[in-house]
Amino acid sequence: MRNPFDFALALGDDALVAAQRLGEWTSRAPEMEEDVALANIALDQLGAARLLLTYAGELEGAGRDEDALAYLRDDREFRNCLLVELPNGDFAVTMAKLLFLSAYQLPLYSALAGCADERLAAIGAKARKESAYHRDHAALWVRRLGDGTAESHRRMQAAVDQVWPYAHELFAPWPGAPVDPAGLRGDFDAYVGPVLAEATLTRPADGWAPAGGRDGVHTEHLSYLLAEMQVLHRAHPGATW
């Protein structure tokens, strides 16, 4: 039976792993301005992760703070969706991932801002402003690449086709949660559909829908990501700066 701790942990893990992936673009983005933009989006996600993981630790009541939850859990203890742990791939894949994630996070955080849980409401009110920018930024690039050259169109369509199946897990029902993600699918489709159309991209058919992240069943990619993210903390436990 999932509880409020599980919900806060899942959202925090989504943001934490997304931040780590986006941070991998630092010094590698196609333009200097984009390098800064992706770093800032990664920092936004990290900020949300800190707030959510801190609250999750308090709900758990086991003495674990944000650092313990981020650095001292193994992959099977993480509850992030599979979408965020997928490798960045090329720039088109990263923009497809960011579009789908932000088109989910914006209505999620907006709904949380009005929920009965005061802590989650405060986090949602802050994070939704940042998510609106993330969504607009990703949509701009998806349109630009999809309706650009023949090569950029091919890559953007391939990226959408590759990432689309992982979007379905975002909207798995969560009865009893402050916000049930199943009720957000309409907002997601209402935004993503027109963006794909404007980008001259074809919306993939629904079919294979990998899942398991919310239950701790992940792809092999998460283990490698965590090994890099956690190595310093685990090598020097308890160290302070």
Side-chain angles (χ1 to χ4, degrees):
M1 184 70 177
R2 290 170 173 171
N3 54 44
F5 162 72
D6 295 319
F7 185 75
L9 186 68
L11 301 192
D13 286 348
D14 283 349
L16 178 64
V17 176
Q20 183 71 10
R21 277 290 184 229
L22 288 168
E24 293 172 0
W25 275 103
T26 302
S27 79
R28 294 177 172 84
E31 301 172 352
M32 184 177 295
E33 183 178 355
E34 188 60 23
D35 203 287
V36 175
L38 289 178
N40 282 331
I41 294 172
L43 287 172
D44 288 342
Q45 293 282 3
L46 183 59
R50 293 188 64 189
L51 293 172
L52 287 160
L53 293 179
T54 294
Y55 186 40
E58 294 172 11
L59 290 171
E60 182 186 35
R64 293 197 289 182
D65 62 8
E66 58 177 293
D67 287 340
L69 289 172
Y71 297 121
L72 298 177
R73 287 182 295 151
D74 295 326
D75 59 330
R76 294 302 290 263
E77 297 175 272
F78 273 74
R79 295 297 181 262
N80 59 277
C81 62
L82 301 181
L83 173 68
V84 294
E85 70 194 48
L86 298 177
N88 285 327
D90 63 17
F91 189 68
V93 171
T94 293
M95 287 301 106
K97 287 176 59 182
L98 183 59
L99 176 64
F100 298 162
L101 178 64
S102 58
Y104 153 75
Q105 285 182 327
L106 179 54
L108 171 67
Y109 289 140
S110 296
L112 280 178
C115 78
D117 186 312
E118 293 184 358
R119 287 284 293 279
L120 287 178
I123 294 170
K126 178 183 184 299
R128 67 179 174 183
K129 302 171 186 176
E130 298 163 346
S131 293
Y133 164 70
H134 303 168
R135 192 182 71 169
D136 290 346
H137 186 81
L140 182 152
W141 273 108
V142 169
R143 293 188 189 101
R144 181 176 175 183
L145 295 173
D147 196 25
T149 67
E151 177 64 10
S152 71
H153 175 86
R154 182 190 68 79
R155 286 179 177 239
M156 196 67 246
Q157 183 66 64
V160 169
D161 292 344
Q162 174 185 335
V163 175
W164 182 261
Y166 294 89
H168 303 304
E169 182 185 22
L170 300 171
F171 306 101
W174 197 317
V179 173
D180 188 346
L184 306 175
R185 184 62 195 247
D187 293 303
F188 175 90
D189 289 335
Y191 187 83
V192 170
V195 169
L196 295 180
E198 292 163 15
T200 69
L201 298 169
T202 301
R203 179 189 184 278
D206 294 332
W208 178 59
R214 298 300 189 212
D215 297 313
V217 181
H218 296 280
T219 69
E220 68 274 18
H221 308 297
L222 183 63
S223 295
Y224 292 104
L225 180 148
L226 294 179
E228 181 175 322
M229 186 183 80
Q230 297 175 340
V231 61
L232 183 62
H233 188 93
R234 290 184 181 239
H236 303 281
T240 56
W241 300 97

